[in-house]
Amino acid sequence: REYIPIEGLAEFTERTARAALGDSCAVLDEKGEIVCQSLSGTGASRIVTEFLAEFSAGTRVYISRPTGGNHRRIVASSGLEVREYAYFDRKTMGLDFEGLCYDVRLAPEGSAIVLHTCAHHPTGCEPSMVQWETICEIVIERRL
């Protein structure tokens, strides 16, 4: 039996990077991206927190409030500081967009923000495309 390399199937990771970053992204042509394949969201979370712990010690990692039951443990077990940002408004049973933006704006430069791109666990609510644009602008502005 043959196994794929530890970093994943090369064709899959290259196509994934192009889908995520766009074909015209200069980083792809310069081979400056880092892509690896993981077994699951939990596996991916573990890989990225271990990477941050190794190469960016002291990073604060912000997780949504609420979040999946294992997220806090994954971040903490990598030795990183866990912080939270507002996400769910129990009164409206929807996204607390103002609270999310407020908290993310307060995160110190160099912090990491865990964002669920779809199917937020455990709430199931997601930002609209316009809201995602605002979130991305804040992340870029704050250098997170």
Side-chain angles (χ1 to χ4, degrees), residues 81-133:
E81 183 180 346
V82 183
R83 296 283 181 98
E84 293 182 341
Y85 63 89
Y87 191 85
F88 189 67
D89 183 339
R90 294 191 188 281
K91 291 178 187 168
T92 65
M93 298 303 286
L95 179 67
D96 179 3
F97 184 65
E98 287 183 20
L100 183 156
C101 291
Y102 178 82
D103 288 347
V104 172
R105 278 191 178 99
L106 291 178
E109 182 177 314
S111 297
I113 311 293
V114 177
L115 297 165
H116 303 224
T117 56
C118 65
H120 179 269
H121 181 63
T123 69
C125 67
E126 303 168 2
S128 69
M129 289 304 292
V130 171
Q131 290 170 326
W132 272 119
E133 289 174 10

Side-chain angles (χ1 to χ4, degrees), residues 41-51 73-78:
T42 298
S45 296
R46 184 62 186 197
I47 290 168
V48 76
T49 57
E50 288 296 327
F51 179 87
R73 286 190 302 273
I74 291 169
V75 174
S77 69
S78 295

Side-chain angles (χ1 to χ4, degrees), residues 36-45 47:
C36 68
Q37 187 175 347
S38 70
L39 182 60
S40 63
T42 298
S45 296
I47 290 168

